[in-house]
Amino acid sequence: MAKKQSMTERVLNELRNDIINWNYNENDMITEAEISQKFGVSKTPSREALNYLCMEGFLEKIPNKGYLVKGISVMELQSLFQYRGILEKACAEMAIQYATADELRFLQELTEEHVKKAEGSTYQEYSEMNMDFHMSVAYLSRNRYLVSALENVLNNLRRVLCPRMEELWRQGASGGTHGAGGGADQAGCGAGKAVCGKRAGRCGIPYLLSGHKRLLRIGKRGDEDETDQSIAVV
């Protein structure tokens, strides 16, 4: 039976998604009273959720004012990409070590399902599918600390990439040569281009899905030397 969410968890998850999807802009100020009214809860779960988002790096507490939605500098973005690479390599290596044949089969089916759903999807929908895949690999590491750290890094990167990639996604869907994601293929990885411009042309659906498939093939062979080449960029 699925565990019932507490009020704090519900507020935390929904507010985090609101920030990731830019329902709040950088430098917006959020108050406990505002969140309590929005979600119909008392100030205690609102305060707990807001403080947790401060720990995750989404907000900064400003005494006597509220909670500021933080931006991310180019240097911070570069650090996030570097940290992500370290975490995902570790997750992939441990997943290869611990995953069962049934679990690898599930990943294969998940990738095939994503391929079918990708065409015609919005960037937000694809971002959620991509997150689902990478976290599915992370869970196979059997290491809850890796899972928690990677989830936070991916969420922060999704928040940075969302506005620019959504625009590129629409351009691709309305006439790009590669279908959904074609605009992203042509322009690089949106906000992340400042730190990974050399990867321009490798950030649309075809590249990301090929990364998923490479990881699955490596898992079947047990070739750990190639795990660092199997991680998708965005």
Side-chain angles (χ1 to χ4, degrees), residues 3 13 18 30 71-72 95 109 112 129 135 151 166 168 173 178 196 217 224 229:
K3 180 182 176 182
N13 290 333
D18 282 345
I30 305 174
I72 296 180
E109 292 171 354
E112 292 170 356
M129 288 190 286
M135 291 310 300
E151 183 176 25
E166 188 70 58
L168 294 171
H178 297 87
C196 60
R217 288 199 301 271
E224 295 187 24
Q229 300 298 320

Short mmCIF file of all heavy atoms in Angstrom, two decimals, residues 3 13 18 30 71-72 95 109 112 129 135 151 166 168 173 178 196 217 224 229:
data_model
loop_
_atom_site.label_atom_id
_atom_site.label_comp_id
_atom_site.label_asym_id
_atom_site.label_seq_id
_atom_site.Cartn_x
_atom_site.Cartn_y
_atom_site.Cartn_z
N LYS A 3 2.37 4.79 0.75
CA LYS A 3 2.38 5.60 1.95
C LYS A 3 1.66 6.91 1.69
O LYS A 3 1.88 7.58 0.68
CB LYS A 3 3.83 5.88 2.36
CG LYS A 3 3.96 6.72 3.62
CD LYS A 3 5.42 7.00 3.92
CE LYS A 3 5.56 7.92 5.12
NZ LYS A 3 6.99 8.24 5.39
N ASN A 13 6.33 18.95 -2.38
CA ASN A 13 6.38 18.43 -3.75
C ASN A 13 5.73 19.38 -4.75
O ASN A 13 6.27 19.62 -5.84
CB ASN A 13 5.72 17.05 -3.81
CG ASN A 13 6.53 15.99 -3.09
OD1 ASN A 13 7.75 16.09 -2.97
ND2 ASN A 13 5.85 14.96 -2.59
N ASP A 18 6.30 23.79 -8.79
CA ASP A 18 5.97 25.14 -9.22
C ASP A 18 7.23 25.96 -9.51
O ASP A 18 7.29 26.71 -10.49
CB ASP A 18 5.14 25.86 -8.15
CG ASP A 18 3.69 25.43 -8.14
OD1 ASP A 18 3.24 24.80 -9.12
OD2 ASP A 18 2.99 25.71 -7.14
N ILE A 30 8.42 34.69 -1.43
CA ILE A 30 7.32 33.83 -1.01
C ILE A 30 7.21 33.89 0.51
O ILE A 30 8.22 33.88 1.21
CB ILE A 30 7.56 32.37 -1.44
CG1 ILE A 30 7.80 32.28 -2.95
CG2 ILE A 30 6.39 31.48 -1.04
CD1 ILE A 30 8.19 30.88 -3.43
N GLY A 71 18.34 32.40 -8.00
CA GLY A 71 18.81 32.15 -9.35
C GLY A 71 20.05 31.27 -9.28
O GLY A 71 20.54 30.94 -8.20
N ILE A 72 20.56 30.88 -10.45
CA ILE A 72 21.77 30.06 -10.52
C ILE A 72 22.74 30.73 -11.48
O ILE A 72 22.40 31.01 -12.63
CB ILE A 72 21.46 28.63 -10.99
CG1 ILE A 72 20.55 27.93 -9.97
CG2 ILE A 72 22.73 27.83 -11.19
CD1 ILE A 72 20.19 26.51 -10.35
N ALA A 95 24.30 0.30 -10.56
CA ALA A 95 23.13 -0.35 -11.15
C ALA A 95 23.55 -1.59 -11.94
O ALA A 95 22.90 -2.64 -11.89
CB ALA A 95 22.38 0.63 -12.04
N GLU A 109 11.77 -1.47 -21.31
CA GLU A 109 10.36 -1.17 -21.62
C GLU A 109 10.04 0.30 -21.37
O GLU A 109 9.27 0.91 -22.11
CB GLU A 109 9.45 -2.07 -20.77
CG GLU A 109 9.55 -3.55 -21.15
CD GLU A 109 8.82 -4.46 -20.17
OE1 GLU A 109 8.34 -3.93 -19.13
OE2 GLU A 109 8.74 -5.67 -20.42
N GLU A 112 11.36 2.32 -24.29
CA GLU A 112 10.49 2.15 -25.46
C GLU A 112 9.20 2.95 -25.30
O GLU A 112 8.69 3.54 -26.26
CB GLU A 112 10.21 0.67 -25.67
CG GLU A 112 11.43 -0.13 -26.10
CD GLU A 112 11.21 -1.62 -26.09
OE1 GLU A 112 10.10 -2.05 -25.66
OE2 GLU A 112 12.12 -2.37 -26.49
N MET A 129 9.64 12.66 -18.23
CA MET A 129 10.00 11.31 -18.67
C MET A 129 11.49 11.06 -18.51
O MET A 129 11.93 9.98 -18.07
CB MET A 129 9.57 11.09 -20.12
CG MET A 129 8.08 10.96 -20.33
SD MET A 129 7.66 10.41 -22.01
CE MET A 129 7.99 11.90 -22.96
N MET A 135 16.16 8.59 -12.71
CA MET A 135 15.95 8.20 -11.32
C MET A 135 15.71 6.70 -11.21
O MET A 135 16.08 6.08 -10.21
CB MET A 135 14.76 8.98 -10.73
CG MET A 135 15.03 10.46 -10.54
SD MET A 135 16.56 10.83 -9.66
CE MET A 135 16.27 9.98 -8.10
N GLU A 151 18.65 13.32 -7.35
CA GLU A 151 17.33 13.91 -7.54
C GLU A 151 17.38 15.43 -7.36
O GLU A 151 16.78 16.18 -8.13
CB GLU A 151 16.34 13.29 -6.55
CG GLU A 151 14.91 13.80 -6.73
CD GLU A 151 13.93 13.10 -5.81
OE1 GLU A 151 14.36 12.60 -4.75
OE2 GLU A 151 12.73 13.06 -6.15
N GLU A 166 11.81 25.05 -23.30
CA GLU A 166 10.39 25.05 -23.67
C GLU A 166 10.19 25.82 -24.96
O GLU A 166 9.45 25.40 -25.86
CB GLU A 166 9.56 25.66 -22.54
CG GLU A 166 8.06 25.54 -22.74
CD GLU A 166 7.58 24.10 -22.59
OE1 GLU A 166 7.78 23.49 -21.54
OE2 GLU A 166 6.98 23.61 -23.58
N LEU A 168 12.53 26.40 -27.31
CA LEU A 168 13.15 25.64 -28.40
C LEU A 168 12.31 24.44 -28.78
O LEU A 168 12.22 24.07 -29.95
CB LEU A 168 14.56 25.19 -27.97
CG LEU A 168 15.58 26.31 -27.75
CD1 LEU A 168 16.85 25.74 -27.13
CD2 LEU A 168 15.90 27.01 -29.05
N ALA A 173 8.73 21.60 -32.60
CA ALA A 173 7.44 20.95 -32.85
C ALA A 173 6.70 21.63 -33.99
O ALA A 173 5.88 21.02 -34.67
CB ALA A 173 6.60 20.97 -31.59
N HIS A 178 13.78 17.72 -36.86
CA HIS A 178 13.85 16.48 -36.09
C HIS A 178 12.59 16.24 -35.27
O HIS A 178 12.61 15.52 -34.29
CB HIS A 178 15.06 16.52 -35.14
CG HIS A 178 16.36 16.60 -35.87
ND1 HIS A 178 16.91 17.80 -36.25
CD2 HIS A 178 17.20 15.63 -36.29
CE1 HIS A 178 18.06 17.57 -36.86
NE2 HIS A 178 18.26 16.27 -36.91
N CYS A 196 28.14 24.25 -21.72
CA CYS A 196 28.34 23.05 -22.53
C CYS A 196 28.02 23.31 -23.99
O CYS A 196 27.45 22.50 -24.68
CB CYS A 196 27.53 21.87 -22.00
SG CYS A 196 25.75 22.15 -21.97
N ARG A 217 22.34 -1.20 -22.98
CA ARG A 217 23.23 -2.17 -23.62
C ARG A 217 24.44 -2.46 -22.75
O ARG A 217 24.88 -3.60 -22.60
CB ARG A 217 23.69 -1.65 -24.99
CG ARG A 217 22.62 -1.66 -26.05
CD ARG A 217 23.25 -1.60 -27.44
NE ARG A 217 24.05 -0.39 -27.61
CZ ARG A 217 23.57 0.78 -28.05
NH1 ARG A 217 22.28 0.88 -28.34
NH2 ARG A 217 24.36 1.82 -28.21
N GLU A 224 31.70 -1.87 -17.57
CA GLU A 224 31.72 -0.69 -16.71
C GLU A 224 32.58 0.42 -17.28
O GLU A 224 32.42 1.58 -16.94
CB GLU A 224 32.22 -1.07 -15.31
CG GLU A 224 31.28 -2.03 -14.60
CD GLU A 224 31.71 -2.26 -13.16
OE1 GLU A 224 32.40 -1.40 -12.59
OE2 GLU A 224 31.36 -3.31 -12.60
N GLN A 229 30.25 7.20 -20.79
CA GLN A 229 29.81 7.66 -22.10
C GLN A 229 28.31 7.46 -22.29
O GLN A 229 27.77 7.79 -23.33
CB GLN A 229 30.55 6.88 -23.19
CG GLN A 229 32.06 7.04 -23.14
CD GLN A 229 32.49 8.47 -23.35
OE1 GLN A 229 31.91 9.18 -24.18
NE2 GLN A 229 33.47 8.93 -22.60
#
